[in-house]
Amino acid sequence: MAEIINLRMARKARARGEAEKQAQANRTLHGQTKTARAIAKADKERAERLLDGVKREEQDSPKS
């Protein structure tokens, strides 16, 4: 005798599997790891601080 299968649960399981495959494809195409994002953010902030530190202040002097 054949095993009884709940079709609703089978459809949902198949949909979850397909969604996971799509999510994996999107992660490989568009994703960065959390660590890579944190490193990039830290590098950007460090560069901005460095540039702000060496920036010369403009003096308000009247041009004659």
Side-chain angles (χ1 to χ4, degrees):
M1 189 167 185
E3 184 179 341
I4 298 175
I5 299 173
N6 187 333
L7 295 178
R8 177 182 51 88
M9 290 175 58
R11 265 194 308 273
K12 287 185 177 186
R14 184 178 55 213
R16 280 192 298 270
E18 290 173 3
E20 180 57 34
K21 286 178 187 176
Q22 182 64 41
Q24 180 64 33
N26 287 341
R27 282 193 293 269
T28 58
L29 288 175
H30 304 291
Q32 287 184 337
T33 63
K34 189 174 186 178
T35 305
R37 283 193 306 268
I39 290 171
K41 182 180 178 185
D43 287 342
K44 182 180 176 185
E45 289 174 354
R46 189 177 308 115
E48 287 175 358
R49 281 195 312 269
L50 179 66
L51 287 176
D52 288 341
V54 296
K55 192 180 287 186
R56 296 190 333 191
E57 304 257 343
E58 292 185 25
Q59 295 179 359
D60 293 331
S61 60
K63 294 188 179 186
S64 325

